[in-house]
């Protein structure tokens, strides 16, 4: 029987999370919880300038201070032959859009050395490291390192960095543009635009934000001179990737690097890529013969955690008389910061510019540009909120321009289930989905019928009610390889796997899957993660890949394990392999009363020590799965604007999310709730604003970076829709990012809807009260007479 | 944090002695401003003198027509005091609107007043109620006490002991909060006492907390929101930052003042 047709005991149940007791009783193992005897502390000397030549690094004063042991610069890294972090930023599965340099060639990414030898390229870049006996002494040492800077012209703006005459970050390049690729059928699109009855265009900047994980990033490095092995404790999005990248930096074999990443206090993409401090503490540990620890403070996190978004998109839609979409043009420009760490946001977004709609033709120009800013990285729902924002806001504008109902224009153009699998105009193939049904479910869930009465009620209270709506489709691709070890012991079953949760509940949902596949109680499955000496391979956690890849590889491994267990049972009971049947956790010998189970088999094997079963009853399975899935859904919210203050209150928020098979609804709802908060945060509160005049980041603490708070958000109504994906055994899509993907679009749709009586459009994110009030002052306020 | 020596004197005179003998001392009350600044290495003090163990700096006393609150009284205790709720309910509401639960259980009225953060709530309450500040050396009226951004009339080593509030017929506070820090972008505290009206504004003034005489005059004639409709504050005297321009703050001062008048006895929070 196909897995997707089976009845499940654990899968689909809202089981409480296995990890929660550990985490809420202080038994989590976060990076800073680890300390080694004799450990030293590192502190970074960071550039105060957005762009400056480094003349020299003088550590003489710092080295005179008590407890300061060493001052290291980029020259020291170079002298020791340390290599750059080989980020490999271009997404490379068969299904990722192929981004290239300007001439179609390789993408120049800018060398990411641990410490620069030539220039500082953004405010906050580490230019030297001080190591001391204590953290305080290291920080004092860092204050006393004299760096000779020569300030250079700089550029921080996304569009500004592309312009002729902009300061160039990398000497080997003629400008700052590192990616320039075009997709789609340009000629046919041009023809469609030429005959269109309506053309709707806009430009949007989806600004820069940061992930703000609760746990600041930290690293503890050690080196064993006897074994020649390095050890790193560092929470990340996947220890195996860090192991390989850091081995390259240090110039050693991957086997000589062990990375431990257990509990991680928030990732959201910020921790997926290696940080310079990770390599630095390992290198310093070897040089000084003692472990070295680093922990960023909150200001360092705001400045130097990999940041998110920062995309400028110019979009146009060609529409016929009846409101059918004919063609689309988009030009997307991604600000990668001072060097290119990841092109995932640009690539992911590029494949989804047409959103949930059947737009037969499209052309897309995708560009990426360097600037004197912290590098950007995939941030929760990498690239998808940006393009969802563009298409959904553009459709709202089209509805206004064509004087059509905004739901009707969407219905007329949604991809229909009968079109699945649907190949969009830039080549992405959507696996499955019932987009219009999502919309209908949502309109009921959100009580669209009652909205008009609520609008009148708000008006009586002097408030402008706005209703926001957005559909979305996103892609979940991610690193294609995953490995699972299934190990049976008399006590239980261990699953060793290379994903890395940061709150997603893998120890629960993976155990649910394993329990049902092997027919064992959920409580007897244990998930092992995070130590590269135990977890030999694995793709980490990003792009909504973990549940899908884990369930697929565990399913394959389970089949292998069942075969192996049948062989074992045959040997134990001296029967032919074909005489052993397996059903729901029970092995039965045909024609006898003999039955056994996993744990009994493991116990007997332990006693017998059969030579065909070295290491016991266990299997290792690798799986490579490139085919992406396309989670999708619809989202609606209501807000009330106080026209006197510009203040916004979100009064209702509802989503319908097709996550494919939902393994644990409690976890998926939680993921959706958190995802919504993060997406709404960008729309209303969060920004990493960099002053173009000074190049200085303006949001360096919680005093000036607005976070989502529970009392600024309503209770969410979230409904899970399970349209199983045909691409993997359980039919999983993904559930971690759908909350975020439509959120900026739906909030800004509501803001514009609320302000429609005043004719206000184009409020930029974050839509702060001050911005809304200023827009109201500029507008024709006669319509407000009814409110105030 | 640079090294510092922590003291917990049990008496006022002991605190004064430690202060006099130290190189660069600071008194510590709730520590919610000072300690983060020290942790960020933006402030350094050789000695921290914690005032929380000095008995006369705690609690509430009603003296004739005044309510006296000890400087080390926590925001949470002011917010939940039955006496404060009875005599000046808007003051209890104001204390309950400061920061979050954690802040309110550590932060003190004296610490907030002595720090005079230009966006803090208590300075508006003190100025808006015409409070008297009692120190170990003298008594000062609120109008003389707050002298500029983070500046007060306190002299080095002088300890703020109590704040005495005249009990008004009406008091109300309305504030519009920053979405990031939750401090007031604009907070307006209004009181009416024997026909005299005081209107004090925090969060907005380029020189810190201030009174708005034109609003006071208008409300003394007619204590109603409509009396304020034509009143305005000159943006030239106001702050501008990421939370809003000086024009926006000028608007909020008017809106918050009206809303305070509309809600006597209450503290109303917006945003």
């Amino acid at each position: 029987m196909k897995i997707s047709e089976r009845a499940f005991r654990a899968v689909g149940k809202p089981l409480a999370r296995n990890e929660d007791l550990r985490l809420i009783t202080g038994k989590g193992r976060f990076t800073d919880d680890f300390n080694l005897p004799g450990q030293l502390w590192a502190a970074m000397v960071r550039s105060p300038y957005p762009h400056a030549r480094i003349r020299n690094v003088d550590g003489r004063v710092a080295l005179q201070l008590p407890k300061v042991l060493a001052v290291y610069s980029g020259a020291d890294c170079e002298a020791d032959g340390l290599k750059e972090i080989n980020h490999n930023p271009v997404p490379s599965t068969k299904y990722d859009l192929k981004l290239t340099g300007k001439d179609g060639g390789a993408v120049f990414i800018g060398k990411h050395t641990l410490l620069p030898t030539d220039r500082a390229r953004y405010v906050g870049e580490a230019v030297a490291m001080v190591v001391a006996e204590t953290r305080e002494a290291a920080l004092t040492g860092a204050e006393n390192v004299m760096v000779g800077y020569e300030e250079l012209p700089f550029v921080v703006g996304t569009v500004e960095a592309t312009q002729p005459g902009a300061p160039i970050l990398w000497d080997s390049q003629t400008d700052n543009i590192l990616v320039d690729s075009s997709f789609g059928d340009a000629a046919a699109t041009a023809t469609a635009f030429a005959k269109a009855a309506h053309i709707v265009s806009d430009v949007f900047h989806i600004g820069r934000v940061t992930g703000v994980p609760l746990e600041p990033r930290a690293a503890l490095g050690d080196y064993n001179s006897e074994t020649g092995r390095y050890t790193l404790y560092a929470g990340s999005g996947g220890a195996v990737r860090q192991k390989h990248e850091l081995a390259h930096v240090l110039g050693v074999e991957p086997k000589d690097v062990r990375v431990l990443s257990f509990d991680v206090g928030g990732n959201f993409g910020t921790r997926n890529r290696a940080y310079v401090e990770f390599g630095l503490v390992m290198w310093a540990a070897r040089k000084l013969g003692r472990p070295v620890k680093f922990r960023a403070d909150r200001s360092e996190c705001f400045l130097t955690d990999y940041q998110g978004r920062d995309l400028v998109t110019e979009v146009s839609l060609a529409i016929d008389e009846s409101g059918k979409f004919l063609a689309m043009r988009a030009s997307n420009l991604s600000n990668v910061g001072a060097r290119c760490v990841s092109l995932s946001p640009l690539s992911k977004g590029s494949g989804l510019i047409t959103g949930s709609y059947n737009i037969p033709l499209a052309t897309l120009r995708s560009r990426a540009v360097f600037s004197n800013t912290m590098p950007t990285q995939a941030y929760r729902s990498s690239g998808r909120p940006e393009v969802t924002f563009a298409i959904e806001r553009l459709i709202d504008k089209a509805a206004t321009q064509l004087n059509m109902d905004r739901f009707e224009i969407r219905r007329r153009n949604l991809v229909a289930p009968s079109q699945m699998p649907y190949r969009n105009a830039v080549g992405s193939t959507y696996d499955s989905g019932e987009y219009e049904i999502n919309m209908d479910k949502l309109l009921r869930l959100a009580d669209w019928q009652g909205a008009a009465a609520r609008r009148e009620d708000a008006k009586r209270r002097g408030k402008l009610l706005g209703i926001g709506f957005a559909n979305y489709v996103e892609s979940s691709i991610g690193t294609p390889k995953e490995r699972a070890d299934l190990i049976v012991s008399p006590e239980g079953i261990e699953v060793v796997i290379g994903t890395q949760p940061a709150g997603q509940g893998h120890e629960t949902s993976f155990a649910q899957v394993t329990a049902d596949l092997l027919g064992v109680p959920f409580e007897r499955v244990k998930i092992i993660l995070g130590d590269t000496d135990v977890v030999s391979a694995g793709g980490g956690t990003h792009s909504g890949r973990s549940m899908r890849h884990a369930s697929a590889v565990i399913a394959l491994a389970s089949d292998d394990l069942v075969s192996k267990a049948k062989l074992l049972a045959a040997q134990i009971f001296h029967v032919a392999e074909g005489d052993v049947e397996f059903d729901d956790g029970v092995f039965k010998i045909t024609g006898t009363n003999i039955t056994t189970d996993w744990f009994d088999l493991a116990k007997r094997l332990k006693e017998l020590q059969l030579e065909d079963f070295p290491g016991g009853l266990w299997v290792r399975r690798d799986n490579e799965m490139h085919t992406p899935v396309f989670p999708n859904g619809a989202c609606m919210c209501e807000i009330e604007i106080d026209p006197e203050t510009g203040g916004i209150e979100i009064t209702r928020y509802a989503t319908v999310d097709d996550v494919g098979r939902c393994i644990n609804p409690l976890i998926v709802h939680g993921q959706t709730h958190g995802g919504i908060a993060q997406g709404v945060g960008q729309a209303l509160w969060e920004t990493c604003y960099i002053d173009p005049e000074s190049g200085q980041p303006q949001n360096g603490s919680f005093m000036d970076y607005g976070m989502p708070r529970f009392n600024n958000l309503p209770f969410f109504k979230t409904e899970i829709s399970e349209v199983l994906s045909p691409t993997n055994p359980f039919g999983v899509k993904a559930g971690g990012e759908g909350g975020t993907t439509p959120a900026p679009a739906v909030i800004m749709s509501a803001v514009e809807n609320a302000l429609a009586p005043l004719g206000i459009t184009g409020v930029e994110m974050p839509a702060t009260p001050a911005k809304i009030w200023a827009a109201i002052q500029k507008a024709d306020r006669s319509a407000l007479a009814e409110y105030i | 944090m640079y090294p510092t020596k922590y003291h917990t004197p049990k008496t006022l005179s002991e605190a004064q002695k430690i202060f006099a003998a130290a190189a660069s001392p600071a008194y510590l009350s709730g520590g919610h401003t000072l300690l983060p600044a020290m942790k960020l290495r933006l402030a350094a003090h050789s000695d921290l003198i914690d005032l929380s163990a000095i008995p006369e700096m705690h609690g509430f006393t009603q003296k004739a027509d005044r309510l006296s609150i000890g400087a080390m009284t926590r925001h949470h205790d002011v917010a939940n005091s039955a006496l404060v709720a009875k005599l000046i309910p808007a003051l209890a509401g104001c204390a309950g609107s400061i920061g979050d639960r954690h802040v309110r259980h550590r932060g003190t009225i004296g610490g907030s007043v002595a720090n005079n953060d230009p966006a803090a709530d208590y300075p508006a309450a003190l100025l808006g109620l015409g409070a008297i500040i009692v120190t170990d050396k003298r008594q000062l009226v609120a109008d003389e006490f707050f002298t500029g951004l983070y500046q007060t009339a306190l002299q080095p080593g002088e300890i703020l002991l109590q704040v005495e509030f005249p009990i008004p017929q009406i008091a109300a506070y309305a504030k519009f909060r920053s979405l990031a820090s939750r401090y007031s972008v604009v907070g307006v505290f209004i009181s009416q006492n024997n026909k005299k009206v005081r209107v004090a504004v925090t969060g907005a003034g380029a020189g810190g907390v201030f009174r708005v005489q034109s609003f006071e005059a208008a409300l003394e004639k007619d204590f109603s929101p409509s009396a304020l409709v034509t009143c305005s504050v000159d943006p030239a005297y106001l702050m501008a930052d990421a939370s809003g321009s000086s024009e926006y703050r000028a608007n909020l001062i008017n809106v918050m003042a009206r809303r305070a008048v509309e809600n006597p006895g209450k503290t109303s929070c917006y945003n």
Side-chain angles (χ1 to χ4, degrees):
Chain A
M1 195 194 299
K2 278 169 67 180
I3 289 171
S4 59
E5 291 161 7
R6 285 191 210 167
F8 297 115
R9 267 194 297 268
V11 166
K13 300 287 188 302
L15 301 180
R17 303 195 326 162
N18 281 332
E19 39 279 84
D20 285 346
L21 184 63
R22 179 179 81 246
L23 294 172
I24 63 175
T25 55
K27 297 196 174 71
R29 292 180 297 169
F30 298 90
T31 304
D32 198 31
D33 291 325
F34 292 93
N35 292 291
L36 294 172
Q39 89 189 7
L40 303 170
W41 281 87
M44 302 299 141
V45 179
R46 298 190 180 278
S47 170
Y49 301 110
H51 204 185
R53 199 177 313 285
I54 300 167
R55 287 275 179 230
N56 67 313
V57 174
D58 182 350
R60 283 174 298 181
V61 175
L63 285 166
Q64 294 302 311
L65 295 169
K67 300 182 185 172
V68 173
L69 299 183
V71 176
Y72 298 119
S73 68
D76 298 315
C77 298
E78 195 174 68
D80 275 14
L82 295 185
K83 297 200 183 67
E84 78 286 0
I85 304 174
N86 54 343
H87 282 298
N88 186 23
V90 186
S92 58
T93 72
K94 287 183 238 164
Y95 293 89
D96 287 300
L97 263 63
K98 297 288 168 283
L99 299 173
T100 67
K102 284 187 284 285
D103 46 5
V107 178
F108 173 83
I109 66 169
K111 239 184 182 184
H112 198 179
T113 50
L114 299 189
L115 297 170
T117 52
D118 55 348
R119 300 184 206 168
R121 289 182 174 81
Y122 59 92
V123 173
E125 179 166 11
V127 296
M129 170 173 65
V130 174
V131 185
E133 295 279 355
T134 66
R135 185 162 185 259
E136 290 303 319
L139 289 166
T140 304
E143 288 172 357
N144 285 282
V145 173
M146 308 299 161
V147 181
Y149 292 106
E150 177 192 334
E151 288 184 67
L152 296 170
F154 60 87
V155 62
V156 297
T158 308
V159 172
E160 290 78 358
T162 65
Q163 284 164 354
I168 297 169
L169 270 80
W170 295 94
D171 279 343
S172 64
Q173 305 297 299
T174 54
D175 58 26
N176 292 318
I177 296 167
L178 64 148
V179 170
D180 193 343
S181 303
S182 293
F183 306 95
D185 185 337
T189 303
T191 308
F193 266 83
K195 69 175 187 196
H198 309 278
I199 293 171
V200 185
S201 304
D202 217 328
V203 182
F204 304 106
H205 183 200
I206 292 85
R208 182 178 285 242
V209 291
T210 185
V212 201
L214 191 60
E215 178 201 11
R217 72 176 195 271
L220 170 59
D222 193 15
Y223 178 73
N224 184 327
S225 57
E226 283 171 27
T227 60
R229 287 191 89 203
Y230 290 93
T231 301
L232 176 74
Y233 298 81
S236 71
V240 176
R241 174 189 205 129
Q242 306 275 347
K243 172 173 107 165
H244 287 275
E245 292 184 349
L246 293 166
H248 171 83
V249 167
L250 297 163
V252 299
E253 293 298 314
K255 69 173 174 54
D256 291 328
V257 175
R258 179 184 184 190
V259 179
L260 300 104
S261 171
F262 296 111
D263 291 309
V264 177
N267 175 0
F268 318 114
T270 64
R271 296 189 206 265
N272 285 350
R273 304 282 172 155
Y275 283 99
V276 292
E277 293 94 350
F278 293 4
L280 286 170
V281 293
M282 297 162 87
W283 171 62
R286 178 173 185 168
K287 286 182 85 70
L288 296 169
R290 289 166 68 178
V292 178
K293 190 168 183 178
F294 167 79
R295 184 184 73 234
D297 63 27
R298 183 57 65 187
S299 301
E300 282 181 299
C301 292
F302 273 112
L303 280 179
T304 61
D305 276 356
Y306 292 126
Q307 301 184 337
R309 316 276 190 249
D310 206 339
L311 183 94
V312 174
T313 172
E314 293 179 47
V315 277
S316 300
L317 204 48
I319 308 173
D320 77 5
E321 289 292 350
S322 70
K324 282 285 286 178
F325 302 156
L326 301 172
M328 181 178 183
R329 280 198 186 114
S331 179
N332 290 356
L333 175 65
S334 168
N335 186 339
V336 300
R339 45 181 68 77
C340 182
V341 168
S342 171
L343 288 166
S344 158
L346 183 64
S347 167
K348 284 298 190 63
S350 293
L352 291 165
I353 55 162
T354 56
S356 314
Y357 307 96
N358 178 23
I359 306 176
L361 294 162
T363 60
L364 166 68
R365 186 179 184 195
S366 298
R367 290 184 301 158
V369 66
F370 292 118
S371 67
N372 292 108
T373 62
M374 180 65 204
T376 52
Q377 214 297 87
Y379 167 58
R380 199 166 192 172
S381 196
S382 172
R384 285 94 81 180
E386 294 93 311
V387 294
T388 301
F389 191 88
I391 187 74
E392 292 296 322
R393 300 300 301 119
L394 194 62
I395 292 173
D396 273 1
K397 187 173 182 177
T400 307
Q401 199 167 311
L402 274 64
N403 198 23
M404 276 182 79
D405 176 75
R406 58 179 159 154
F407 302 105
E408 182 52 33
I409 195 171
R410 285 177 164 90
R411 285 182 195 282
R412 227 169 261 190
N413 290 286
L414 282 171
V415 175
S418 60
Q419 291 174 288
M420 295 290 177
Y422 171 81
R423 186 182 157 88
N424 78 6
V426 284
S428 296
T429 302
Y430 302 173
D431 61 312
S432 62
E434 297 171 347
Y435 299 169
E436 192 170 8
I437 292 172
N438 290 344
M439 259 181 84
D440 289 331
K441 282 184 183 167
L442 177 73
L443 292 177
R444 280 196 299 276
L445 185 70
D447 185 28
W448 165 242
Q449 291 293 331
R454 289 192 293 275
R455 200 190 288 275
E456 284 308 309
D457 174 61
K459 195 171 178 178
R460 277 193 291 277
R461 290 181 283 109
K463 301 286 174 59
L464 295 151
L465 186 124
I467 299 164
F469 178 83
N471 285 310
Y472 77 92
V473 59
E474 54 179 21
S475 58
S476 170
I477 311 177
T479 301
K481 292 179 186 174
E482 195 52 73
R483 169 180 290 179
D485 294 351
L486 302 186
I487 304 154
V488 187
S489 74
E491 292 75 39
I493 292 172
E494 287 186 345
V495 182
V496 180
I497 195 154
T499 64
Q500 176 62 58
Q504 294 92 332
H506 294 181
E507 291 166 56
T508 308
S509 51
F510 295 2
Q512 288 175 266
V513 162
T514 309
D516 278 356
L517 286 166
L518 299 180
V520 299
F522 165 72
E523 294 75 22
R524 296 191 76 167
V525 183
K526 191 170 177 217
I527 309 298
I528 309 290
L529 303 148
D531 177 350
T532 57
D533 275 7
V534 179
V535 182
S536 51
T541 289
H542 56 268
S543 189
R545 72 180 288 281
S546 294
M547 191 68 248
R548 178 168 52 96
H549 276 280
S551 62
V553 73
I554 293 170
L556 293 169
S558 296
D559 288 344
D560 294 351
L561 192 65
V562 168
S563 302
K564 198 160 181 177
K566 282 182 177 173
L567 196 63
L568 174 62
Q571 289 197 19
I572 289 170
F573 297 107
H574 308 292
V575 296
E577 200 186 333
D579 289 334
V580 185
E581 292 169 35
F582 174 74
D583 182 35
D584 197 15
V586 178
F587 294 87
K588 191 171 183 299
I589 309 301
T590 311
T592 74
N593 289 332
I594 301 170
T595 62
T596 179
D597 65 19
W598 290 105
F599 310 111
D600 179 54
L601 283 174
K603 192 163 163 254
R604 287 171 185 263
L605 177 57
K606 221 172 181 177
E607 287 154 8
L608 293 170
Q609 297 289 342
L610 298 175
E611 63 184 30
D612 288 349
F613 299 88
L617 179 54
W618 76 286
V619 294
R620 166 168 294 172
R621 179 71 191 231
D622 286 290
N623 186 34
E624 188 163 341
M625 187 164 72
H626 286 260
T627 317
V629 290
F630 292 80
N632 58 87
C635 179
M636 186 171 238
C637 78
E638 288 180 23
I639 63 163
E640 290 184 4
I641 291 179
D642 179 343
E644 288 198 300
T645 65
I648 295 179
E649 186 187 354
I650 306 170
T651 50
R652 299 168 80 92
Y653 200 109
T655 69
V656 170
D657 299 289
D658 171 6
V659 301
R661 167 89 60 198
C662 174
I663 306 298
N664 184 322
L666 192 65
I667 290 175
V668 171
H669 282 304
Q671 286 287 313
T672 305
H673 294 175
I676 291 169
Q678 235 160 356
V680 171
Q682 172 149 35
L684 294 181
W685 309 302
E686 298 180 50
T687 182
C688 291
Y689 180 73
I690 300 156
D691 177 26
E693 299 299 318
S694 64
Q696 295 293 325
Q698 303 293 298
N699 310 82
S701 79
F702 289 122
M703 288 297 283
D704 34 43
Y705 190 91
M707 292 295 287
R709 288 178 161 83
F710 78 90
N711 61 352
N712 282 339
L713 292 162
F715 276 88
F716 306 128
K717 287 185 175 177
T718 57
E719 188 173 303
I720 297 165
S721 171
E722 294 185 86
V723 179
L724 302 188
S725 174
T727 63
N728 62 80
F730 278 87
V732 170
K733 288 175 182 168
E737 302 182 314
T740 305
T741 304
V746 82
I747 291 288
M748 296 312 290
S749 169
V751 168
E752 203 156 300
N753 183 254
L755 297 174
L758 299 162
I760 294 168
T761 59
V763 177
E764 288 193 358
M765 297 190 290
T768 60
K771 276 187 203 164
I772 289 174
W773 180 81
I776 290 172
Q777 301 318 299
K778 280 190 219 134
D780 172 6
R781 280 180 284 166
S782 56
L784 276 184
E786 294 178 61
Y787 291 84
I788 301 170
Chain B
M1 190 187 283
Y2 297 106
T4 186
K5 194 168 177 209
Y6 175 72
H7 306 268
T8 49
K10 302 281 184 296
T11 65
L12 202 54
S13 62
E14 198 187 334
Q16 289 161 332
K17 263 184 227 151
I18 297 166
F19 192 96
S24 61
Y27 292 121
L28 179 70
S29 46
H32 266 79
T33 303
L34 183 58
L35 295 181
M38 290 178 73
K39 285 183 180 173
L40 287 167
R41 298 178 156 233
L42 298 172
H45 294 283
S46 62
D47 296 76
L48 278 183
I49 306 162
D50 188 337
L51 301 175
S52 61
I54 300 171
E56 62 262 45
M57 294 181 71
H58 290 268
F60 310 91
T61 331
Q62 188 180 358
K63 306 176 186 168
D65 60 347
R66 284 188 193 173
L67 168 67
S68 174
I69 301 180
M72 287 304 293
T73 309
R74 314 269 178 205
H75 306 330
H76 171 83
D77 296 323
V78 176
N80 290 281
S81 156
L83 186 64
V84 179
K86 188 179 96 185
L87 299 177
I88 319 176
L91 182 64
C94 173
S97 78
I98 298 171
D100 58 25
R101 201 172 282 257
H102 312 287
V103 168
R104 292 194 292 274
H105 276 84
R106 284 298 306 169
T108 67
I109 184 168
S112 171
V113 168
N115 187 48
N116 193 19
D117 186 307
D121 297 298
Y122 267 132
L126 266 66
L127 194 59
L129 287 162
I132 291 152
I133 291 102
V134 181
T135 76
D136 57 345
K137 296 198 171 69
R138 56 190 168 146
Q139 296 199 353
L140 290 141
V141 293
D143 296 77
E144 294 168 358
F145 183 82
F146 300 108
T147 55
L149 302 176
Y150 300 100
Q151 300 293 318
T152 69
L154 284 176
Q155 286 161 355
E158 190 173 4
I159 300 177
L160 199 164
L161 298 179
Q162 271 108 33
V163 182
E164 294 188 1
F165 294 94
I167 295 158
Q169 279 87 53
I170 298 173
Y173 185 49
K175 69 184 210 180
F176 193 85
R177 290 181 294 197
S178 154
L179 291 162
S181 69
R182 310 309 268 160
Y183 273 90
S184 291
V185 178
V186 163
V188 179
F189 202 105
I190 293 181
S191 73
Q192 189 192 49
N193 198 356
N194 296 324
K195 307 250 168 70
K196 284 287 175 198
V197 172
R198 296 176 73 96
V199 176
V201 176
T202 189
V209 65
F210 66 99
R211 283 172 69 187
V212 194
Q213 271 84 12
S214 62
F215 285 31
E216 292 175 353
L219 291 171
E220 280 173 8
K221 277 190 204 137
D222 172 15
F223 196 82
S224 76
S226 58
L228 294 170
V229 168
T230 56
C231 292
S232 61
V233 174
D234 185 348
Y237 299 105
L238 303 181
M239 288 195 285
D241 60 18
S243 289
S245 62
S246 47
E247 290 77 15
Y248 179 57
R249 281 189 160 87
N251 167 70
L252 284 181
I253 290 169
N254 187 285
V255 177
M256 290 301 117
R258 282 189 276 122
R259 292 189 184 175
V261 172
E262 280 167 17
N263 294 286
K266 293 204 171 115
T267 282
S268 317
C269 295
Y270 299 92
N271 219 27

